[in-house]
Amino acid sequence: MTKFENEFDLITAIKDGDHNAYSYLFSKYYKDLVLYGGTIIPNQEICEDIVQNIFIYIWENRKNIKIDSLKSYLIRAVRNSCLDEIKHNKIMNEYSTFILTQNNIFNNDTEEYILYSELNIQIQQAIQKLPVDERTAFEMSKIKGIKYQQIADELNISVRTVEVRISKSLKRLKLLLKDFFVILLIFTKL
């Protein structure tokens, strides 16, 4: 194994597919590279995987790889791979957090939708129980957004009558929806 007197001979032998040169390279640098990786990522298994992948890459790309300084190349490869691993883990953690957050948002949206649907049904049923003249004024004002004066003109009544009808309808709706008052409070806080 001492036949590789310098890095150039070792690199040339590896490029030529010499298994002994590759074994020599691995046994000479593996342990130190894992230790170096441990200064960046404090997990020996991950560092071992990173270093092994670098050696696999070197062997698989031996004919095309350009290495001027073997030691510098290996150290740079370990450092870059460790940094890539850290970035990858950060992205995975952010994605996991995002997914968990989205699930909570989805669950909240679903709960809000169910509450809203139930409340909407109850409101529609309560509106239908109003006397026709009150219901008409209420729907025109609160649902269609028509101004009191315009309602009065369309129904041929005074603005004061419109106000009274809407006021009565609101009082009746409060009574009809008293059981849903808690849901209204919850829904408005969501």
Side-chain angles (χ1 to χ4, degrees):
M1 288 208 183
T2 56
K3 66 180 180 178
F4 308 108
E5 295 186 17
N6 58 45
E7 283 187 356
F8 180 77
D9 290 342
L10 181 59
I11 293 168
T12 303
I14 291 171
K15 283 186 175 193
D16 290 339
D18 185 336
H19 289 281
N20 289 330
Y22 183 73
S23 293
Y24 175 77
L25 174 72
F26 187 86
S27 63
K28 181 174 181 180
Y29 290 106
Y30 178 79
K31 193 185 280 185
D32 290 338
L33 292 174
V34 170
L35 290 173
Y36 173 66
T39 64
I40 302 169
I41 298 176
N43 183 317
Q44 184 173 348
E45 289 179 16
I46 292 174
C47 293
E48 288 174 355
D49 287 344
I50 287 171
V51 173
Q52 288 169 10
N53 287 335
I54 290 168
F55 280 110
I56 290 168
Y57 177 83
I58 290 171
W59 182 254
E60 289 176 347
N61 295 284
R62 65 187 175 275
K63 294 186 186 219
N64 300 322
I65 202 164
K66 293 184 178 171
I67 300 174
D68 296 325
S69 168
L70 192 55
K71 194 170 187 177
S72 295
Y73 175 86
L74 292 170
I75 289 171
R76 189 171 53 251
V78 170
R79 185 188 71 234
N80 291 342
S81 294
C82 286
L83 294 176
D84 287 345
E85 181 70 22
I86 291 169
K87 286 178 192 172
H88 174 74
N89 285 337
K90 182 180 176 190
I91 290 169
M92 292 302 291
N93 288 337
E94 288 174 359
Y95 179 74
S96 296
T97 302
F98 173 76
I99 291 299
L100 291 173
T101 305
Q102 291 304 308
N103 284 340
N104 287 340
I105 288 171
F106 176 74
N107 290 339
N108 288 343
D109 287 347
T110 304
E111 290 169 8
E112 286 179 28
Y113 176 76
I114 291 169
L115 283 174
Y116 176 77
S117 295
E118 180 65 25
L119 184 60
N120 193 35
I121 290 168
Q122 294 303 319
I123 290 171
Q124 293 303 320
Q125 289 174 353
I127 290 171
Q128 293 306 312
K129 291 179 183 177
L130 294 173
V132 176
D133 57 340
E134 289 178 20
R135 183 175 63 230
T136 303
F138 177 83
E139 287 176 340
M140 291 175 82
S141 173
K142 302 300 180 186
I143 296 174
K144 295 179 182 174
I146 300 172
K147 303 233 184 254
Y148 284 14
Q149 182 63 55
Q150 191 177 348
I151 295 170
D153 293 342
E154 284 186 36
L155 298 178
N156 291 324
I157 56 175
S158 70
V159 173
R160 178 69 186 136
T161 304
V162 172
E163 291 172 353
V164 169
R165 287 181 182 178
I166 291 173
S167 176
K168 284 182 179 180
S169 66
L170 288 171
K171 286 178 185 173
R172 288 184 204 267
L173 288 173
K174 281 182 186 177
L175 286 173
L176 291 169
L177 296 170
K178 69 180 180 200
D179 295 336
F180 292 91
F181 186 70
V182 174
I183 293 176
L184 277 168
L185 286 177
I186 292 170
F187 187 72
T188 56
K189 288 182 181 182
L190 295 175

